[in-house]
Amino acid sequence: MDKRLARIYKPKYVKFALNIWPPFWGAGIRITEISDDFRSVKVRLKLKWWNKNANRSQFGGSIFAMTDPIYSLMLMGILREQYYVWDKEASIDFIKPGFSDLRAEFVISQGMLEQILRSTASGEKCFPEFITHIHNKDGDVVATIQRKLYIRKKPKYREEIGNEAPSVQV
């Protein structure tokens, strides 16, 4: 994220942008909540006629897509312009068919954030992993998604011996 984007990168704008983003909008994915500190996001996938598979349950690609940019965007909001944040890899475990609307909650704990900051302080790469459970209307888990991110402090913000870099407020 560059400094110009960082100035306007606020939860309400990110939520609005994602909710009108064609891949989300077309799949029936909706961001329902983003906390003010970007530490928590809630997402819903509506069951519509156009996102059902041949078995009349939620299309697996839509289930996977509802998790795609979320952790990266959360960490971009927390770490701001001092860091590179990208998705690196992901996998999904389909547990049972989703015959209703689906929901997911994404949370970045204080412990995970502290670990990322420690790991990247001098410019090292960090590859945190996050697990997200997708729930149906009854609260049953229908899928589990694992995401690994790439995080690295940008060169101009890295700590050097005897020099302190600007800190990220947590």
Side-chain angles (χ1 to χ4, degrees):
M1 165 183 335
D2 68 15
K3 287 186 179 191
R4 291 171 296 187
L5 180 58
R7 284 189 212 121
I8 62 166
Y9 201 85
K10 309 276 188 238
K12 68 180 180 179
Y13 299 132
V14 173
K15 178 181 173 184
F16 174 78
L18 286 174
N19 284 336
I20 64 166
W21 188 42
F24 269 24
W25 178 80
I29 299 165
R30 184 147 187 87
I31 305 297
T32 59
E33 184 179 317
I34 300 179
S35 65
D36 289 339
D37 60 1
F38 282 102
R39 300 277 185 97
S40 173
V41 173
K42 293 181 181 177
V43 179
R44 182 188 72 228
L45 172 60
K46 296 282 283 178
L47 182 63
K48 302 285 190 178
W49 65 268
W50 64 81
N51 64 7
K52 290 181 183 180
N53 62 23
N55 296 312
R56 310 305 292 155
S57 65
Q58 290 277 13
F59 172 62
S62 297
I63 296 171
F64 197 55
M66 75 186 284
T67 70
D68 187 11
I70 305 301
Y71 279 113
S72 292
L73 295 173
M74 291 169 74
L75 282 162
M76 288 171 64
I78 294 167
L79 300 173
R80 311 305 293 170
E81 72 274 2
Q82 295 182 17
Y83 287 80
Y84 298 114
V85 180
W86 295 303
D87 274 319
K88 181 170 173 42
E89 61 185 71
S91 64
I92 188 166
D93 180 17
F94 294 105
I95 296 167
K96 63 189 294 186
F99 289 111
S100 67
D101 291 357
L102 302 179
R103 299 190 183 280
E105 184 170 1
F106 304 81
V107 176
I108 297 177
S109 69
Q110 182 65 28
M112 178 60 85
L113 186 54
E114 288 170 1
Q115 178 185 353
I116 290 167
L117 293 172
R118 270 193 315 276
S119 299
T120 60
S122 297
E124 297 87 359
K125 299 171 189 170
C126 178
F127 304 102
E129 293 189 29
F130 299 92
I131 304 293
T132 305
H133 302 287
I134 309 298
H135 298 269
N136 64 15
K137 69 175 181 170
D138 298 323
D140 299 328
V141 175
V142 299
T144 300
I145 289 108
Q146 172 273 333
R147 290 204 166 268
K148 182 185 284 188
L149 274 59
Y150 167 99
I151 302 173
R152 190 170 193 187
K153 192 174 259 193
K154 293 179 181 177
K156 68 181 180 180
Y157 296 106
R158 294 179 190 161
E159 292 177 8
E160 295 179 22
I161 298 173
N163 235 357
E164 281 197 32
S167 63
V168 174
Q169 293 187 4
V170 290

